[in-house]
Amino acid sequence: MSIQRNMTVALSIWTIAFIGCGSDQAETIEGVDDATVGEEVAETEQALCAHSQCDAGGALAPSCDPCAASVCAVDSFCCTVAWDSTCVQEVGSICGQSCANVGDLAFNGCYGQGSGCTSVGTPNPIKSASAVAVSPDGSSVYVTSGGSSAGAVAHFRRQASGELVYGGCIGQGVSGCASILPAQPLSAPRSVVSLQGSVYTLSAYGSVAHFRRSANGDLAYAGCIGGLSGSQCAVVLGASILDTTSLAASADGKSVYAIATTGRGVVYRFDRATNGDLAYAGCIGDGVSGCASTPGAANELRNPRGITVTANGGSLYAISMDPGAITHFRRDASGALSYAGCVGRSSTWQTLTGCATLAAPNPIYEATAIGASPDSTSVYVGATNTVAHFRRAANGDIAYAGCISSSNSQCTSIAPSSALSGPSGVAVTADGKSVYLSSRGGTIAHFKRATNGDLFFAGCIGQGVAGCTDIAPTQGLGFATGVAASSDAKSVYVSAGDSGGSAGGWTNGAVSRFGRLSL
């Protein structure tokens, strides 16, 4: 044990002795009831498991993890005073685990009708799979699928190991699924989000469908809002919701948002009741009648492809495919949005005005995916062959911080030219250490995330993609359409549609499971 460690132990013992000398200590303890003691013990246990054994920080309890118990049995300092750099090194020497490999993925199979996947029945309820989401409690995975006249949301029960068990489906025009006809809110579903008591899906035709979620994850249709006339969904007065592309929900459970190509781009807000039902609460956009405007800028929302709400609820960000921009909206406690600026660059086809200008070539031109870190300090945008990082200030303002790309000359270069071909989703793990991008070229790319949010390419898994670890002959990544990470940071799931990957190999719709080294 080092001199510094000895000094820390001495200071800790002195502090404990000093606290124990208070004259009112006995009276204070006598006045504490059992419930309060129980709450304090639970809070203490949570605090003692507040970080990974691969990170220096406060002392860890042996009960946090089998590796923590093994380290503490040899070096008690790690569980009584602090988990310092020596303790981190002992994860390797004592537990035989490598902190350098945290975030690495291992393909654990797929579900669907793709070759080599576990069948979920015929006809396939996840044919043309378009999006995937994991419930906040980690017990369920939901996948949307379908075409212009049909659609469904399939439920998979998630085991503690991360393995999936098919639990059924609900939809319209899909044989074998519980029907929600005559309402038609699921035609060509493009997005799915899960809160603890609700699941919401977004149709390309503008309707948001609500499904109540039971304790075991099963869904029951609860209605829809918006969409085409005659769809039997609740009518949204004063706004025409059509050509919607992405859906997001706030972590506080108060709001659901959808973005659409209406006008030059618009974000719709829905207030969420305690039972999960939605009520239209207004819109904000660029040149859209009846909606609040985005003053001082133009075209920043044109051709929108994605939105995300930060975990702290303070901001919503939207991305434009062309000209290529990211727009910031501040969000208040009620869920209302106010325009706060944009960052981007004009393209050959669209002139962008009023935004902070990015250097050429624009790293977010043809942006198609967006996600934010759980600590709300970083926003990541996936564009053609590129992932860009924006640092987020406390007030939500963002500043460009760099990019990684196989084709953009201003970015850090990566060798696999097809690793980021057509990004379709961004997922940041709950431990904040990894960022994953799914791509329609048939890949999932892994980036290690530094404490300041910067990214480092750590490899990719694909389906016949040069430079990526291959999952052939299984066809679970043929046309990856979305990615989601579990709340325990131990699993990553990718939905795949009907088009072939960069090396061919067609899939009839699948969801692939990847085990993640989380330590």
Side-chain angles (χ1 to χ4, degrees), residues 109-114 117-121 123-145 152-160 162-170 177 192 194 199 213-219 484 486 491 493-496 508-513:
C110 54
Y111 306 81
Q113 296 305 109
C117 297
T118 300
S119 174
V120 290
N124 181 12
I126 57 173
K127 182 178 182 180
S128 302
S130 55
V132 60
V134 183
S135 61
D137 63 7
S139 67
S140 298
V141 172
Y142 300 98
V143 180
T144 53
S145 63
V153 54
H155 172 214
F156 294 86
R157 305 190 201 285
R158 179 175 178 268
Q159 311 302 298
E163 185 178 354
L164 302 182
V165 177
Y166 178 57
C169 58
I170 187 168
C177 296
V192 59
S194 176
V199 169
R213 180 174 179 268
S214 66
N216 69 355
D218 288 345
L219 301 181
S486 60
S491 303
Y493 301 93
V494 177
S495 56
N508 289 314
V511 55
S512 291
R513 169 193 161 213

Side-chain angles (χ1 to χ4, degrees), residues 71-111:
V71 170
C72 292
V74 176
D75 188 350
S76 61
F77 179 93
C78 301
C79 287
T80 57
V81 181
W83 192 275
D84 62 8
S85 59
T86 300
C87 304
V88 172
Q89 293 174 1
E90 290 170 342
V91 170
S93 61
I94 296 175
C95 302
Q97 298 175 344
S98 174
C99 289
N101 295 330
V102 168
D104 286 354
L105 299 180
F107 177 65
N108 292 147
C110 54
Y111 306 81

Side-chain angles (χ1 to χ4, degrees), residues 10 17 57 144 151 178 211 217 232 300 324 357 384:
T144 53
F211 301 86
Q232 298 192 13
E300 75 278 26
T357 303
T384 301

